[in-house]
């Protein structure tokens, strides 16, 4: 009898829900750390006098650590078991949060974010394996739907909570707010998660592979994030790119020769798993990209307060809560593409709506678009995860769980830093386009200047200074519109990416149906030959 079977015998059918609540608490608490600090970033930047180059390490370090640690989780579970791994990562996360809350300088707060990111990455495969161990195959659609909600809900919830905390208290509270939830999760994990099943010696971790992969991903993220500011031909950027390429090539070479690799590349021989990884990579880039762009747009263009920006995400949280049970109910009964492809089409339309937003866009319009986008967060990852992992042989499921989450997070990391660079680049392009026609030979420019001079005259500005004030006002207006157009370009780029995801999402379902049909025919042929 396995420990999970013993737990079912002890607690009965309710044990499944006890495990579900246990891992959901940890997932939501740690998932909030992804975006809740983003709300407080301007305050952290001001508190420590950090430059734009320095402050981006808060997100780059977090994203790199989250991505790589996803692949370490299978080893941790094998070496220490679900219970100790879950409790250990929560204890380390609490320590990192306390470090961030009391930080007195840049190095302390960046270190706190890197450690938080690593623990946030570890918890995802741990939680997914715990859910799969208590849900039978015919109910794993519900399990992955619940898991999918735990990925989307913290992102929206963090915006609401973070906005309230920085508006009414202090930015340091964003590091403390989830700690009580972590403590409850530790207590429940000690009661309801199983200990290590294996009795033999603990397997060795591929430390070389883990370090090389972290360096490769960190270098590439840093290159993309800073390329626009430093120049793409800058020697540091070129070195970072070279380090990333060499590190990636070495990682593949190294993993092929390890008896227990960090990432077993055989998982990508399954077409369904490869398609699912592509789906989640692209979807992660699009969704995390929007979650980065939208708060920045509301702050820079609409001048929303942090709490107003947070409230905008509330309707999307409700959408997630309503859709997740429905996706779980039907995910086990119908092909995945009947759920994911329509949701992707809705999300593409929602992101296109963001691409039309300017300083006249209403709060209701943005909230509606975000709610529509939430349908994809509820409907795309769950069936994709379930179908992809189901395509793997049993020995590779542990690797698959880490790798599929790795694809989602890696996409989110790249999507975010690419959009950071694109905002800077497109703002410069549009600024040049708007200002190149501002000269005395342009009748529209002359008419605009006369109108602005009249406006500033009504404010009591002296006649001597009216022209200079009008020029300054016009440059400010042009700068604002250049920024608006840059955000619109980035939202439209994300919309194109979401539309592209429809292709591998359909192929995943199509190949999965063919595989299921082949498995169904195999027993019948076997029975005929026997008779």
């Amino acid at each position: 009898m396995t420990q999970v079977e013993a737990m079912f015998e002890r607690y009965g059918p309710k044990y499944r829900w006890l495990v579900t609540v246990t891992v959901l608490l940890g997932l939501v608490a740690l998932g909030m750390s992804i975006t809740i600090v983003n709300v407080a970033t301007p305050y952290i930047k001001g508190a420590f006098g950090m430059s734009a180059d320095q402050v981006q390490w808060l997100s780059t370090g977090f994203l790199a650590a989250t991505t790589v640690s996803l692949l370490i989780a299978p080893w941790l579970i094998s070496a220490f078991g679900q219970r100790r791994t879950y409790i250990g990562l929560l204890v380390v996360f609490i320590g990192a949060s306390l470090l961030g809350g009391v930080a007195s300088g840049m190095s302390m707060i960046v270190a706190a974010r890197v450690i938080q990111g690593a623990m946030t990455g570890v918890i995802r495969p741990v939680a997914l394996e715990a859910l799969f161990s208590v849900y039978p195959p015919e109910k794993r659609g519900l399990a992955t739907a619940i898991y999918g909600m735990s990925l989307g809900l913290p992102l929206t919830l963090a915006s609401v909570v973070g906005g309230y905390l920085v508006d009414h208290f202090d930015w340091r509270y964003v590091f403390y707010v989830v700690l009580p939830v972590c403590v409850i999760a530790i207590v429940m994990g000690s009661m309801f998660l199983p200990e290590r099943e294996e009795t033999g010696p603990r397997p060795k971790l591929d430390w070389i592979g883990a370090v090389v992969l972290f360096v490769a991903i960190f270098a590439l993220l840093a290159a993309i994030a800073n390329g626009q500011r430093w120049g793409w031909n800058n020697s540091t950027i070129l070195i970072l790119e070279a380090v990333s390429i060499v590190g990636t090539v070495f990682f593949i070479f190294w993993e092929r020769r390890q008896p227990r690799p960090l990432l077993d590349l055989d998982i990508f021989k399954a077409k369904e798993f490869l398609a699912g990884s592509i789906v989640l990579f692209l979807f992660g880039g699009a969704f995390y990209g929007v979650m980065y762009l939208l708060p920045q747009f509301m702050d820079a263009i609409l001048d929303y307060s942090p709490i107003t920006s947070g409230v905008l995400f509330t309707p999307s949280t409700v959408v997630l809560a309503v859709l997740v049970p429905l996706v779980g109910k039907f995910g086990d009964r119908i092909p995945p593409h009947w759920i994911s492809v329509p949701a992707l089409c809705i999300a593409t339309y929602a992101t296109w709506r963001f691409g039309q937003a300017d300083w006249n866009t209403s709060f209701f319009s943005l909230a509606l678009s975000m709610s529509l986008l939430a349908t994809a967060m509820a409907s795309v990852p769950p069936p994709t995860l379930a179908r992809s992992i189901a395509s793997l042989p049993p020995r590779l499921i542990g690797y698959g769980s880490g790798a599929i989450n790795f694809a989602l997070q890696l996409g989110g990391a790249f999507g975010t830093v690419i959009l950071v660079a694109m905002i800077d680049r497109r703002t410069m392009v549009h600024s040049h386009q708007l200002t190149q026609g501002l000269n005395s030979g342009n009748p529209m420019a002359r008419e605009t200047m006369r109108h602005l001079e009249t406006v500033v005259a009504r404010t009591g500005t002296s006649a001597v200074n009216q022209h200079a004030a009008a020029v300054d006002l016009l440059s400010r207006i042009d700068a604002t519109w250049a920024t608006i157009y840059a955000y619109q370009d980035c939202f439209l780029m994300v919309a194109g990416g979401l539309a592209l995801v429809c292709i591998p999402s359909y192929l995943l379902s199509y190949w999965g149906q063919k595989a299921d049909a082949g498995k169904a025919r195999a027993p019948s042929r076997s029975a005929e030959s026997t008779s």
Side-chain angles (χ1 to χ4, degrees), residues 391-429:
S391 68
L392 296 174
R395 74 174 184 87
L396 293 177
I397 287 178
Y399 288 107
S401 174
I404 199 77
N405 281 279
F406 173 80
L408 177 67
Q409 184 60 39
L410 187 64
F414 282 138
T416 300
V417 295
I418 287 171
L419 289 171
V420 169
M422 284 296 296
I423 283 290
D424 289 343
R425 185 174 184 84
R426 296 304 298 169
T427 299
M428 291 174 59
V429 170

Side-chain angles (χ1 to χ4, degrees), residues 70-361:
L70 284 162
L71 300 180
I72 299 176
W75 172 81
L76 288 170
I77 297 171
S78 176
F80 301 101
Q82 287 182 21
R83 179 181 297 179
R84 291 188 181 183
T85 301
Y86 186 74
I87 293 172
L89 69 88
L90 286 170
V91 169
V92 174
F93 180 85
I94 289 173
S97 299
L98 293 173
L99 177 65
V102 301
S104 58
M106 173 185 163
S107 58
M108 286 180 67
I109 204 162
V110 170
R113 287 297 284 164
V114 170
I115 299 170
Q116 279 189 329
M119 298 305 101
T120 301
V122 170
I123 198 172
R124 293 182 180 181
V126 174
L128 190 59
E129 181 165 323
L131 289 172
F132 271 33
S133 68
V134 296
Y135 282 83
E138 66 274 12
K139 290 188 177 181
R140 284 182 180 168
L142 175 60
T144 50
I146 293 171
Y147 178 77
M149 180 185 71
S150 71
L151 298 180
L153 179 62
L155 300 180
T156 55
L157 187 61
S159 300
V160 179
V161 175
Y164 179 82
L165 290 174
V166 299
D167 213 32
H168 289 81
F169 297 97
D170 185 83
W171 64 264
R172 295 181 185 274
Y173 282 87
V174 301
F175 286 97
Y176 301 144
V177 65
V178 299
L179 299 190
V181 181
C182 292
V183 172
I184 297 172
I186 288 172
V187 173
M188 294 188 68
S190 66
M191 297 170 61
F192 304 124
L193 293 183
E195 288 278 10
R196 183 179 182 233
E197 294 282 358
E198 296 87 349
T199 57
R202 291 188 175 93
K204 292 182 179 179
L205 174 63
D206 178 16
W207 285 105
I208 293 178
V211 171
V212 169
L213 185 61
F214 176 82
V215 171
I217 292 175
F218 187 84
L220 185 56
L221 291 176
I224 297 173
N226 294 292
Q228 184 62 35
R229 286 192 292 268
W230 297 351
W232 294 105
N233 292 323
N234 180 278
S235 59
T236 303
I237 297 297
L238 295 176
I239 291 172
L240 288 170
E241 291 172 348
V243 168
S244 179
I245 294 171
V246 172
T248 302
V249 172
F250 178 81
F251 177 77
I252 295 172
F253 170 83
W254 179 262
E255 294 303 292
R256 285 289 189 188
R257 286 154 180 80
Q258 297 308 301
R260 190 179 179 89
L262 188 69
L263 176 62
D264 193 326
L265 300 177
D266 286 346
I267 58 177
F268 296 110
K269 293 179 180 178
K271 292 190 301 183
E272 302 100 300
F273 188 86
L274 178 60
S277 299
I278 294 171
V279 168
L280 290 184
F281 177 83
L282 295 174
F283 180 78
F287 186 80
Y288 281 94
V290 170
M291 293 302 296
Y292 168 80
L293 285 176
L294 188 55
Q296 300 293 326
F297 177 83
M298 291 187 291
D299 177 61
I301 305 302
L302 302 177
D303 198 28
Y304 283 178
S305 68
I307 193 167
T308 302
S309 299
V311 170
L312 185 138
F313 291 94
T314 303
S316 60
T317 305
V318 177
V319 170
L320 281 170
V322 171
L323 282 183
V324 162
L326 295 176
V327 172
K329 180 179 180 180
F330 293 105
D332 295 314
R333 304 179 185 180
I334 61 178
H337 69 273
W338 287 111
I339 298 174
S340 59
V341 173
L344 286 168
C345 293
I346 294 172
T348 301
Y349 170 68
T351 313
W352 176 84
R353 284 173 54 90
F354 284 133
Q356 312 308 308
D358 55 33
W359 58 13
N360 296 310
T361 302

